[in-house]
Amino acid sequence: MKNLKIAHQLFALVGVLMAAFAVAVYFEIKSQEDSIYNDRFDMLRTQVESGISILDGFYQREKSGELTHEAAQAQAFKVLTNMRYNPNGYIFGFDFHVIQLINPSPVNLGKDMSSQVDKRGTYFSKELVEKGINGGGRTVYYWNKPGMPDSQVFLKGSYSAAFQPWQIVLGSGVYMDDLETQVNAAMWKAFLICGIVFVVGIGAALYFIRGISKPLADVHEALKAVADEDVKIAIPHTSMGNEIGKMAKATASLQEKVRERHAMAERQAEQ
């Protein structure tokens, strides 16, 4: 660094600041992305917890003797099967052996879904049950969307949690491709801001660097001229109030001493 020109050192400083800004933008994008997805999963968790509360309500009626075990489960399953929320959300449920017990579609009711895989090989039904048993959690997988070609798959996220008294895991999931659109929009906005700041920063850096390096070069040339005993050259930038101005004043002072020495030499020659 000691051997670098001041202009190059200033450019290096600007580069470091720009890199730091880019890193800050990256973490801001990641923070926004996490926030967007967390909001969606929080909504899913709220729906699942509502379903768990419904199961618990019927379980309490079973414990009190108001309903038999079979009747309590049948009524609870019916309520959960009819639950809906926006956008196109519903509740599904499995027992701890991944047998499907609750779903608006009766196609797979009573079937073992442990071997069900998504379009990329994820055993998502099994994972939903495992995470539910272990305290609740998120599962992401890829699935077809109604009305879209079978060759297209879309990101889907689910949250699952267990109701231990009946050994049932409830879950709910929604497609999340709309969130990818939001994240991409946030990324492009951040990149645009970063680009504008970068261009403005480079422009400002060039302006200020030129404001330093050009006067320094001028004073350096004047100092070289004074060293060659040029007493006629005008010393530039002596009016500046910064370090460059001090250097210019010192050069002017040196020039004045050279001028005095020349005058003394001329007087001595005349004698």
Side-chain angles (χ1 to χ4, degrees):
M1 288 293 289
K2 291 182 179 180
N3 296 325
L4 285 177
K5 292 182 178 180
I6 291 178
H8 294 167
Q9 292 185 34
L10 291 173
F11 267 120
L13 175 61
V14 171
V16 170
L17 292 176
M18 288 298 177
F21 179 74
V23 170
V25 169
Y26 169 78
F27 282 109
E28 176 62 22
I29 292 173
K30 288 295 296 179
S31 176
Q32 289 187 30
E33 180 180 7
D34 291 343
S35 177
I36 289 171
Y37 280 97
N38 285 339
D39 287 345
R40 182 62 58 86
F41 277 110
D42 286 345
M43 181 271 292
L44 292 173
R45 183 178 63 186
T46 298
Q47 299 302 324
V48 171
E49 289 174 348
S50 296
I52 295 290
S53 296
I54 291 172
L55 289 181
D56 186 61
F58 281 97
Y59 173 66
Q60 296 303 323
R61 294 173 67 182
E62 175 194 340
K63 284 178 62 179
S64 69
E66 179 184 347
L67 295 172
T68 65
H69 175 72
E70 291 74 15
Q73 284 198 343
Q75 292 185 34
F77 293 176
K78 183 177 181 180
V79 171
L80 293 175
T81 298
N82 292 324
M83 279 184 63
R84 296 291 187 278
Y85 62 90
N86 291 325
N88 302 317
Y90 59 89
I91 299 292
F92 53 82
F94 304 91
D95 69 10
F96 282 8
H97 301 291
V98 204
I99 305 299
Q100 191 166 82
L101 302 177
I102 303 166
N103 198 293
S105 172
V107 175
N108 293 318
L109 291 180
K111 294 182 180 179
D112 183 351
M113 306 301 292
S114 59
S115 60
Q116 186 180 35
V117 296
D118 72 354
K119 304 302 180 179
R120 299 190 179 184
T122 300
Y123 289 83
F124 65 94
S125 294
K126 184 178 179 181
E127 184 176 331
L128 283 163
V129 172
E130 289 175 349
K131 288 185 176 178
I133 293 172
N134 291 322
R138 305 172 178 182
T139 300
V140 293
Y141 50 98
Y142 289 85
W143 203 248
N144 298 114
K145 185 181 286 189
M148 302 298 290
D150 289 341
S151 58
Q152 286 186 273
V153 292
F154 299 87
L155 179 67
K156 195 169 187 178
S158 293
Y159 183 86
S160 56
F163 181 63
Q164 292 291 344
W166 284 351
Q167 295 195 338
I168 291 175
V169 170
L170 293 186
S172 186
V174 291
Y175 290 99
M176 293 193 167
D177 51 299
D178 62 313
L179 300 187
E180 292 180 322
T181 302
Q182 291 183 41
V183 170
N184 289 336
M187 287 177 60
W188 281 112
K189 182 179 179 180
F191 287 148
L192 177 61
I193 294 173
C194 188
I196 292 172
V197 171
F198 181 79
V199 171
V200 172
I202 291 296
L206 288 172
Y207 174 79
F208 287 112
I209 288 171
R210 181 173 175 79
I212 295 173
S213 60
K214 180 65 167 59
L216 275 176
D218 293 342
V219 173
H220 179 258
E221 290 300 319
L223 184 58
K224 286 171 60 178
V226 171
D228 292 334
E229 301 200 353
D230 184 346
V231 295
K232 296 181 180 180
I233 186 173
I235 308 301
H237 309 302
T238 55
S239 62
M240 295 179 71
N242 54 19
E243 287 79 0
I244 296 174
K246 292 179 181 179
M247 291 176 61
K249 291 182 179 70
T251 302
S253 178
L254 179 61
Q255 185 188 51
E256 184 60 30
K257 290 180 180 179
V258 172
R259 186 179 289 113
E260 290 174 357
R261 183 160 52 80
H262 283 188
M264 183 180 296
E266 289 175 0
R267 287 195 298 270
Q268 289 176 349
E270 290 174 356
Q271 294 176 358

